[in-house]
Amino acid sequence: NGYLEVARALLAARKKVEAAVEDDPHLRMMGKPEMSLVAFTSDTVCVFELTDAMKARGFSLQAQLGYGASKANVHLTINPGNTRVIDDLVVALHEETARLARGGSRPGPNDELRQMAAHITEALANDRSGDVAAHVIGQADTGSGKMADVSRLLDLLGPREREKLLVAFVGKMFTPKPE
């Protein structure tokens, strides 16, 4: 009976999130979830800014970069530990989505990020991945915990460029600095 209770709670929470996304004019579901993994996107607000905003409010949603025909989106895994806060999450999701829409948030990159992506692509083609990784680490290491611009930038890059950049990024993170 314990397993069935957990499954029912997961399903009920997923239905609440799904209904909230479907009721929000700025969000749309990506597929029909069977159980407790929900994916949604937006054609009007930046999903990377949305995940940052939700993180600031104490909720963990995962931004996923676009790939192929799948555009950038948000993943939410509902588990037994977060079913008790789903009502609060749904309220925060509506509030933050509306705030971002009012504030002019838009999906996709701005001109500055497009230029940076072109620079990164050129640098990676010329085997300067370490330099590029150091720059991106500098962008990400603001202490704010906000990753929207870094995610937007990565979303612009192709899969090969992302892989090269992320390998270099991790390499830089774990290479001791000279004394």
Side-chain angles (χ1 to χ4, degrees):
N1 277 348
Y3 179 79
L4 288 176
E5 288 175 26
V6 168
R8 283 186 194 105
L10 292 173
L11 185 59
R14 192 265 298 157
K15 286 180 178 180
K16 286 181 181 182
V17 172
E18 187 177 10
V21 169
E22 289 174 346
D23 288 345
D24 193 304
H26 300 287
L27 302 176
R28 67 178 168 85
M29 293 293 298
M30 296 184 71
K32 180 78 171 148
E34 292 295 322
M35 192 57 185
S36 59
L37 177 62
V38 177
F40 58 92
T41 192
S42 177
D43 297 319
T44 58
V45 299
C46 175
V47 295
F48 303 126
E49 290 179 24
L50 180 58
T51 57
D52 279 352
M54 292 297 288
K55 180 180 179 183
R57 291 189 60 168
F59 298 101
S60 180
L61 293 109
Q62 180 184 11
Q64 182 167 297
L65 303 175
Y67 185 79
S70 179
K71 66 184 293 180
N73 59 81
V74 176
H75 273 198
L76 171 62
T77 302
I78 301 166
N79 61 55
N82 63 19
T83 55
R84 68 187 187 287
V85 296
I86 288 298
D87 291 333
D88 295 334
L89 180 141
V90 165
V91 168
L93 183 63
H94 277 300
E95 290 173 355
E96 293 303 325
T97 302
R99 183 186 63 77
L100 288 169
R102 282 191 313 274
S105 172
R106 297 289 176 261
N110 58 29
D111 289 339
E112 180 183 355
L113 287 176
R114 280 190 187 90
Q115 290 172 355
M116 193 179 296
H119 170 73
I120 288 170
T121 300
E122 184 269 328
L124 291 173
N126 292 308
D127 202 28
R128 295 194 330 261
S129 58
D131 296 340
V132 173
H135 179 73
V136 172
I137 288 170
Q139 292 287 104
D141 191 22
T142 63
S144 69
K146 294 183 177 179
M147 293 296 297
D149 283 343
V150 172
S151 296
R152 278 180 154 156
L153 180 61
L154 289 171
D155 200 47
L156 277 170
L157 300 174
R160 288 190 179 134
E161 289 83 11
R162 287 179 194 170
E163 182 179 1
K164 284 182 181 179
L165 183 59
L166 291 174
V167 166
F169 183 91
V170 171
K172 284 281 189 187
M173 284 177 34
F174 292 103
T175 301
K177 293 181 182 174
E179 294 182 28

